[in-house]
Amino acid sequence: MASLQEPWLLENGNLKGSSKEIRHGRTAHNMSSSSLRKKSDLTLVSKVRCGMLRHLLTNLQEVILGTKLTVLFPAIPLAIAAECYGFGRPWVFGLSLLGLTPLAERVSFLTEQIAYYTGPTVGGLLNATCGNATELIIAIFALWQHKIEVVKYSLLGSILSNLLLVLGTSLFCGGIANLGKEQKYDRRQADVNTLLLLLALLCHMLPLLFRISAASVSLTEVPTLQLSRVSSIIMLLAYITYIIFQLVTHRQLFEAQEESEEHGDDLSEETPVIGFWSGIVWLVGMTAVIALLSEFVVGTIEDASESWGLSVSFISIILLPIVGNAAEHAGAVIFAFKNKLDISLGVALGSATQISMFVVPLCVIVAWILGIEMDLNFNLLETGALALSIITTAFTLQDGTSHYLKGLALLLHHRAMEMPSIWESSPLLESLELNRACPFEG
């Protein structure tokens, strides 16, 4: 096995950092996605005499077959074929969503592989940038097509999904699986993420309150947009500071620590399975495919909404966030079963923080560059739901211990948050022509 890997393990020279440094540089996102990976059997590949062909086959086996989600990869060519041959638009939408699920997990795998060569700091920065690549790419394509509501709903849904659904499921399943144990976690990491989420909430509430307090909406349209852009710049600066805090000054708070008695014997096996440049090429290729499928999703979401009888807001808030990070979410639950709540919290809170403090303000700035007027006003109902979710999560995590009742409460909160988006497509609301964009106008 070692001799088989040697030619391409040194593809970019010596590895930077020892095995221990690399191991402790892994973030909760990497640890969560790794729970869905499987070891590849390279016995047949090792018998191939041609070195270049053996290298290619090894890469294919590690990247394509090295995950338990391999069964979903056929959805990618099927989605492309459905788009090219004019199949039903809802089929294109559904197949594209299925195809995005393994791609999101593979992006996490590739960033971890690259981190073996760049060191934990650069690898952590790369993971922080690509951690929610699927949501970011979908949002940018929706912006390009001037579907601002889809952008807002999908990003809001991602935050709510991480805070309530993922965290709630993790705490509930972890509590049920460990009834005889008291589950504990490091409060310091949760406090940092909660503080940033409250800052993001403030930046969302200011444009909304500013518009509500005015006598006429038309008078506050431009100032609200300007306030949102300034707030977005502040949020991005705060997120950069958070990255420095996470990767440089207080790295120990965010490291995904594993139990030494359970994994100590495997420490020497923590080696990359593909080369540096191979990882870069695969990462670029995966990102391109994600971009293609994201374009399909954005272009067919209205058709799927009409065909399935679901509102666009329901699909954006509920379906897109769940599918986009299904692999990480499943991993968070698995680690909660193993009584490793620090990793589960790192996934849920870290992802919610990244979307609220990085992806959302970045979309506002990108829209500004494209000449599109997107602000941070997510309307009264959506902003209220976000505020209640953040406050509920903060109270749930304040004592550093967990049990299944906390998880059940968060899951019920998430179920309650789904109701407005379900009711939105009901005939009653359609007949009333409810104006949700500005309930205080006139």
Side-chain angles (χ1 to χ4, degrees):
M1 180 70 179
S3 60
L4 176 64
Q5 291 181 341
E6 185 177 357
W8 49 86
L9 289 182
L10 300 179
E11 184 178 357
N12 192 49
N14 295 326
L15 299 179
K16 293 180 65 175
S18 65
S19 298
K20 184 176 181 180
E21 290 173 338
I22 294 173
R23 184 186 187 87
H24 293 300
R26 299 174 72 183
T27 64
H29 287 273
N30 294 127
M31 293 292 299
S32 176
S33 296
S34 66
S35 63
L36 294 178
R37 296 171 195 166
K38 58 182 181 180
K39 292 184 178 181
S40 300
D41 186 3
L42 301 177
T43 304
L44 294 178
V45 177
S46 62
K47 297 180 180 180
V48 178
R49 295 184 178 181
C50 178
M52 184 175 297
L53 179 59
R54 184 171 66 246
H55 186 184
L56 176 61
L57 292 176
T58 300
N59 274 265
L60 287 173
Q61 185 159 347
E62 294 290 354
V63 177
I64 303 300
L65 302 179
T67 173
K68 298 176 183 177
L69 300 176
T70 302
V71 67
L72 296 180
F73 272 114
I76 299 174
L78 289 176
I80 298 174
E83 174 68 19
C84 294
Y85 291 100
F87 290 176
R89 306 290 283 173
W91 281 101
V92 178
F93 180 82
L95 290 171
S96 298
L97 281 184
L98 288 178
L100 286 171
T101 303
L103 290 175
E105 189 274 332
R106 291 289 84 185
V107 167
S108 176
F109 163 75
L110 291 170
T111 56
E112 182 180 341
Q113 292 297 305
I114 295 174
Y116 282 106
Y117 297 93
T118 61
T121 301
V122 178
L125 181 61
L126 182 62
N127 182 73
T129 306
C130 301
N132 288 285
T134 304
E135 289 93 334
L136 179 59
I137 294 174
I138 290 177
I140 291 177
F141 273 102
L143 273 180
W144 187 262
Q145 299 183 23
H146 294 263
K147 297 181 180 179
I148 298 177
E149 293 302 315
V150 174
V151 177
K152 291 183 176 181
Y153 283 141
S154 63
L155 296 181
L156 174 67
S158 295
I159 299 173
L160 298 181
S161 176
N162 279 286
L163 291 181
L164 300 179
L165 179 61
V166 179
L167 184 58
T169 305
S170 299
L171 296 183
F172 179 77
C173 294
I176 294 295
N178 299 273
L179 284 175
K181 303 177 183 177
E182 183 181 21
Q183 289 192 292
K184 296 183 179 181
Y185 51 84
D186 191 346
R187 278 186 53 196
R188 295 174 297 175
Q189 180 186 159
D191 290 344
V192 170
N193 284 281
T194 302
L195 182 63
L196 290 174
L197 288 170
L198 290 172
L199 174 60
L201 176 61
L202 174 64
C203 293
H204 282 289
M205 291 186 65
L206 287 178
L208 174 65
L209 297 176
F210 186 67
R211 175 167 291 189
I212 291 176
S213 62
S216 174
V217 175
S218 58
L219 296 177
T220 61
E221 186 174 352
V222 174
T224 299
L225 185 62
Q226 294 174 345
L227 177 61
S228 298
R229 289 169 176 173
V230 173
S231 299
S232 297
I233 295 174
I234 295 174
M235 292 166 72
L236 288 175
L237 292 176
Y239 184 75
I240 293 174
T241 306
Y242 167 68
I243 292 300
I244 297 174
F245 181 86
Q246 179 182 12
L247 299 180
V248 181
T249 61
H250 291 71
R251 181 189 296 173
Q252 69 278 4
L253 298 183
F254 299 87
E255 288 174 349
Q257 300 288 347
E258 297 179 85
E259 298 178 12
S260 57
E261 66 271 13
E262 192 173 87
H263 299 277
D265 297 336
D266 297 332
L267 185 59
S268 60
E269 297 181 9
E270 289 287 330
T271 55
V273 294
I274 60 175
F276 174 78
W277 289 110
S278 297
I280 294 293
V281 171
W282 277 107
L283 183 60
V284 172
M286 291 283 183
T287 305
V289 178
I290 290 176
L292 178 63
L293 296 183
S294 299
E295 185 178 6
F296 292 166
V297 167
V298 173
T300 58
I301 188 171
E302 288 90 354
D303 300 295
S305 173
E306 295 177 3
S307 177
W308 298 348
L310 300 173
S311 65
V312 173
S313 62
F314 177 83
I315 295 176
S316 301
I317 293 177
I318 306 301
L319 293 185
L320 292 184
I322 292 177
V323 173
N325 276 322
E328 283 185 353
H329 296 171
V333 176
I334 291 173
F335 277 106
F337 270 111
K338 298 178 180 179
N339 201 18
K340 298 181 180 180
L341 286 184
D342 284 326
I343 298 177
S344 300
L345 264 64
V347 172
L349 296 180
S351 183
T353 302
Q354 185 179 63
I355 294 170
S356 60
M357 294 295 294
F358 175 66
V359 180
V360 172
L362 182 62
C363 287
V364 175
I365 301 300
V366 171
W368 187 7
I369 296 173
L370 297 176
I372 300 172
E373 296 183 353
M374 175 183 173
D375 56 27
L376 291 175
N377 179 14
F378 279 32
N379 300 328
L380 182 62
L381 179 62
E382 286 78 4
T383 306
L386 177 63
L388 290 174
S389 300
I390 294 175
I391 293 173
T392 301
T393 303
F395 274 106
T396 302
L397 302 177
Q398 64 179 342
D399 62 348
T401 62
S402 174
H403 46 74
Y404 69 89
L405 185 58
K406 288 186 176 182
L408 179 61
L410 291 179
L411 288 175
L412 293 177
H413 274 82
H414 184 264
R415 180 60 180 172
M417 297 299 178
E418 291 180 359
M419 292 306 173
S421 59
I422 296 176
W423 291 338
E424 201 175 56
S425 57
S426 67
L428 176 61
L429 290 187
E430 291 177 1
S431 63
L432 292 175
E433 297 180 354
L434 184 63
N435 183 6
R436 298 178 63 254
C438 184
F440 295 91
E441 186 175 5

